[in-house]
Amino acid sequence: MTLQQTLSDIITNLPDWSARQLNEAQTSQAVVLRVLQALGYDIWNPFEVIPEETADSGNKPDFIVAIDSKPRFVVEVKRLGRDLDNRAKIQAVNYANNKGIRWAVLTDGSSWLLFDSFMQRPAQDRLILTLALHKQSVQVLANALGRLLHAEVWDQDDVDTYIDRTARDIQNNLHLSAQLEPLAETLQAFMDEMTIQEPEKGIELAYRLEKWRGEDYQLVEDNKKLFLNIFESLRDEDKSQEGREQVAERDDATSKTPDARIPVVSVENADLAQVLRRGVEQTIAQEPSSRSSPIDVWIGGEPIKVRNWRDVYGGIAEAYLLLGQAEDLEVTSEIYESMEQGRRKGSGEVYPPSSYRRLSNGKHLYANHSAIATAAKSQDLLRGLNAPSGMIRVIYKDEEQQLP
């Protein structure tokens, strides 16, 4: 299995493993050793991937990776989902220093941090690169890990200079990609609205119509190749999703009869967290094939498995129906009797089925918004339910939000 295939398989399983709360040993087994093997190391050779190596101070890094009997980097593993705080960072750097090793990797299986232990600054500030399996694409991750940690990398002359330069280059590109991605999402929505096909034309028109600020346009122009790669990647994902979500527009006759009723929960007796959880489960059941994104969600302090922001938004909308507040929902959200009656593009063409979430009352919630807009709309709906602060906790692309 290639490195990219290994990472893809791990990423697919991360939500389930997070819910099961893997400990350190399980994280090592399910993630770290598999990644090291895919990077070209013989994980069965105790002199190449050295487990529980005792450092001079008596501390034990989880692994020391060696090439031709020469230690190259330390790997310190924490349980999946563990906060990689300053204490963990200092521990990883100290393990490397105690063995006279320059490079240290700290990971919880999901986030991978690379440190230069020889830097003259506080240990926790020697971090030079962060990679996140729940944030970056598989291609980006495979490329970055391969360029830095593959066994073949360590055979070259002056490898330390190469690692330092390459890690900083990757970190800069990741930071730049994070700035360009929301601009690509904006362009994608704008081009759909204006029925423009060519990205170059879309970029110019978006600037002239002030869809972007001047500095945003300049950022795109200065990094055109990277931006277009990100844009094409987003467009490919949407095409793939539409292909998976082609559905017949006829609905189950029973679900559309006037006598169909949604089980209503008594507001007085309802536990809002439980209602919201039921709503999320219901919206996922109504939309079984939907694209996954790097998102983790807790409702009322308990984790719930979702695939994307639309699951959250649709789940809150379903909670309105469960609480008998369908009219309130229609006042605040874009609800349509059918997709044909819904929003239309500038060309007059209807939006595809993937732009909606079908609700349990047979109506359709328009949900074709960016992640930022969907989060804001979810927040507004929660306020309409008088949800307490922090009822829903979301970690999306490594950033945490409390809703409402």
Side-chain angles (χ1 to χ4, degrees), residues 1 25 40 48 56 88 143-144 147 158 193 210 219 222 237 242:
M1 188 178 284
E48 184 163 304
D56 295 338
N143 177 267
R147 289 175 63 192
D158 198 12
E193 180 182 351
E210 298 183 346
L219 181 67
D222 291 344
E237 286 179 6
E242 284 189 29

Side-chain angles (χ1 to χ4, degrees), residues 2 70 136 182 189 198 216 240 278 280 292-293 302 317 322 400:
T2 66
K70 182 176 180 180
Q136 279 99 29
E198 296 297 326
D216 292 335
S240 176
R278 281 181 56 186
V280 169
S292 295
S293 61
E302 295 184 12
L322 290 166
E400 180 174 343

